[in-house]
Amino acid sequence: MSEDVHALLGPYIVGAVSDEECADFEAHLATCSSCTEDVANLLEVTAVLGEAEAVAPPLSLRARVMDEIAVTAQVTPTATPIAATATVAPADATVTALADHPRRRRFTLIGVAAASLLVLAGVGIGIGSAVQDRQQQLAFEKDVMMVTSAPDAHAMDLELGSAHLVMSERMDAVVVMGDDAPMPHDGMEYQLWLVMDDGKAMPGPTFMPDDGSFMAMMHAGFDGVVAFAITEEPHGGSEAPTSDPIAVTEI
Amino acid sequence: MSSDRHLRAVDDSYHAPDGVTLGTSGTGEVITPRGLVRAANLDSLLTQAARGSGAAFEQIYDNISGAVYGTALRVVRDPQLAEDVAQEALVEVWRTAARFRPDAGSARAWILTIAHRRAVDRVRSEQAHTTRLRHHGKPDDKQAPTDNVVDTMFAEWEAARVRAGLAELTELQREAIILAYYKGYTHREVSEALDIPLGTAKARLRDGLMKLRDMWEVAR
Ligand SMILES: [Zn+2]
């Protein structure tokens, strides 16, 4: 019997259960820590699926929702009966848990770190490049997402195939990303540079297009930076540009 | 401290300038598609909304209404219906915000689960079982929002990540998830549509989701 209920895990996560099965499974969660843990993890997976569908809703929706919540009573924290998990936290415990939240701690760290260094580091990859370790790729994707979704992120054209450059002063970072980029000459890679107001170039990451697609990121302060440039450099990159820029984006 | 920030992802070919330390980022943190910047905020906003803050709820709306509406649209496939579903779901988020438990999942997942369930309920009541079975096919392509170039690039990036993830699944895992998640099939309907035993349908849904979880490192 409980074997059967366990097996509803997958269907439950994607909403493929009847109301009755849903109730059975939620009752089961109160007694099964393994399923409870899996539910928490797997709902993050469906959140990714849902987020990828994001489309701006009609503008009128906002006003309708706000009007309706203005006249909609809320359940109170103490009336938390249907918990998908066993324990019911009092309001104070909820606050504590939030303060301990690993992502929030990490987020604070990031803010301090990014503000304190001129150039932290840069990284570039071809999208889907097989040589990249999976972990590295995921960490990289996440860092890129943080920059491109920063509140002050703004995008500029970059003339390397069909590409953009996104910079965020808040994140002290710049991302270049695009498609349809030509391959550099044999033995060469692309390298990103920060061009300073005194004409010096600060070295950024090197990157290679993969089937035309590329993405690279650099952490840097933008004081005194007047432009971003891309050159072709020997494999591994250079400390100073050795060729004329093939693309320049002025700030 | 600063080296905590970066870089597990550093490219081997990149040589850091002198005096720059490269570190590794922390482990086990959630990768949320909208970016940690917005996501970290959402848990706290939802907690504030639970205590009656309309201002916090407005920020939640601005953060996640696109995903709520988009999820609904993908499942119910009708803009008017999707709008109704999104409204119901968002009002439910407001009403039941006190039930959100930050240690049991992210606010984003909690909200999008509500939206998806509402959408599935709607599609099940609107469409007869047979109609849905007849429409079994490839999911429709959706339009990306075009109001902001960064959001657009970001949406494309996310969609590409999902496509790449689904492509790593076995055929049965992928089909089962598409039918159940995007089309609102029950596990019985999934087993019928794919002509596989019920137990297999349930298992493929679970394995497929777990494989995506491992690929995307979304465990918390
Ligand atoms: Zn269980």
Side-chain angles (χ1 to χ4, degrees):
Chain A
M1 181 62 198
S2 98
E3 192 96 334
D4 286 352
V5 182
H6 263 319
L8 286 174
L9 172 67
Y12 175 81
I13 297 297
V14 289
V17 286
S18 66
D19 291 349
E20 195 188 348
E21 289 165 333
C22 183
D24 287 351
F25 187 76
E26 287 184 349
H28 166 71
L29 285 177
T31 62
C32 180
S33 61
S34 147
C35 282
T36 300
E37 193 179 317
D38 284 338
V39 164
N41 291 330
L42 296 180
L43 288 179
E44 303 293 336
V45 171
T46 49
V48 172
L49 298 179
E51 187 77 50
E53 297 299 316
V55 180
L59 288 176
S60 57
L61 179 63
R62 194 176 198 278
R64 285 211 309 283
V65 169
M66 297 310 159
D67 286 352
E68 193 176 343
I69 69 151
V71 296
T72 301
Q74 294 180 285
V75 301
T76 56
T78 43
T80 313
I82 319 179
T85 46
T87 50
V88 176
D92 281 355
T94 307
V95 173
T96 311
L98 189 67
D100 276 337
H101 203 279
R103 280 188 298 157
R104 292 178 56 83
R105 267 203 312 269
R106 177 171 152 71
F107 181 56
T108 311
L109 271 181
I110 290 163
V112 173
S116 61
L117 285 181
L118 174 62
V119 175
L120 265 174
V123 55
I125 57 166
I127 294 171
S129 160
V131 297
Q132 284 290 325
D133 173 67
R134 183 77 206 148
Q135 295 288 105
Q136 292 185 346
Q137 174 115 5
L138 284 164
F140 176 65
E141 286 175 14
K142 181 187 61 196
D143 287 338
V144 166
M145 286 190 277
M146 288 179 58
V147 176
T148 56
S149 64
D152 70 333
H154 66 276
M156 291 166 279
D157 286 338
L158 174 71
E159 297 199 343
L160 181 65
S162 160
H164 290 289
L165 180 151
V166 182
M167 63 180 281
S168 161
E169 298 200 42
R170 173 106 64 123
M171 300 298 297
D172 284 320
V174 58
V175 168
V176 292
M177 61 204 302
D179 297 307
D180 305 324
M183 289 303 281
H185 293 91
D186 272 356
M188 305 291 272
E189 289 184 292
Y190 292 120
Q191 187 167 8
L192 176 67
W193 303 89
L194 300 189
V195 183
M196 312 302 290
D197 48 13
D198 63 1
K200 283 201 188 120
M202 302 281 298
T206 59
F207 57 93
M208 288 286 273
D210 181 60
D211 198 19
S213 296
F214 67 91
M215 179 172 287
M217 182 181 66
M218 178 179 190
H219 277 271
F222 295 117
D223 281 354
V225 175
V226 294
F228 300 96
I230 306 248
T231 62
E232 284 192 19
E233 298 296 334
H235 186 77
S238 307
E239 290 298 310
T242 61
S243 63
D244 287 338
I246 54 170
V248 176
T249 297
E250 290 178 17
I251 297 182
Chain B
M1 220 43 173
S2 57
S3 64
D4 280 346
R5 172 75 177 86
H6 276 275
L7 269 180
R8 189 164 69 188
V10 77
D11 186 351
D12 288 338
S13 68
Y14 176 69
H15 304 294
D18 287 346
V20 172
T21 346
L22 301 181
T24 56
S25 64
T27 54
E29 69 276 10
V30 180
I31 299 171
T32 38
R34 211 62 192 171
L36 293 188
V37 177
R38 293 179 191 176
N41 224 358
L42 201 56
D43 288 5
S44 129
L45 288 171
L46 189 53
T47 307
Q48 292 167 46
R51 299 192 203 108
S53 167
F57 188 78
E58 291 194 10
Q59 289 187 61
I60 291 170
Y61 181 95
D62 292 339
N63 184 299
I64 208 167
S65 58
V68 166
Y69 174 71
T71 298
L73 184 59
R74 179 65 186 265
V75 174
V76 304
R77 295 154 152 250
D78 174 86
Q80 188 56 54
L81 216 51
E83 220 178 312
D84 290 352
V85 168
Q87 181 170 350
E88 281 174 19
L90 288 160
V91 171
E92 185 177 337
V93 166
W94 165 259
R95 197 175 60 78
T96 63
R99 292 181 189 148
F100 167 61
R101 303 258 328 282
D103 54 338
S106 69
R108 178 170 312 280
W110 189 80
I111 293 169
L112 292 180
T113 300
I114 289 174
H116 184 255
R117 281 186 188 163
R118 285 276 176 168
V120 165
D121 284 350
R122 187 63 75 97
V123 86
R124 283 189 193 147
S125 61
E126 294 279 330
Q127 291 180 300
H129 167 87
T130 47
T131 319
R132 269 185 292 144
L133 287 184
R134 215 181 312 126
H135 286 160
H136 172 204
K138 288 287 168 216
D140 292 343
D141 282 331
K142 59 129 192 150
Q143 261 189 313
T146 51
D147 52 334
N148 169 316
V149 66
V150 174
D151 278 356
T152 303
M153 284 164 40
F154 203 68
E156 287 165 2
W157 176 250
E158 285 168 345
R161 183 161 167 250
V162 166
R163 277 197 303 275
L166 291 175
E168 292 288 315
L169 303 182
T170 67
E171 182 84 30
L172 275 184
Q173 289 171 336
R174 181 169 50 249
E175 285 290 308
I177 287 175
I178 288 172
L179 292 174
Y181 181 80
Y182 294 113
K183 301 200 163 205
Y185 280 38
T186 65
H187 57 96
R188 281 182 195 82
E189 291 168 336
V190 169
S191 86
E192 250 175 80
L194 297 180
D195 199 19
I196 52 178
L198 193 54
T200 309
K202 293 184 205 171
R204 291 303 83 84
L205 285 170
R206 189 199 55 218
D207 319 330
L209 290 164
M210 287 184 166
K211 194 157 162 191
L212 292 173
R213 172 190 66 189
D214 296 343
M215 264 187 288
W216 294 338
E217 281 199 320
V218 287
R220 39 192 286 153

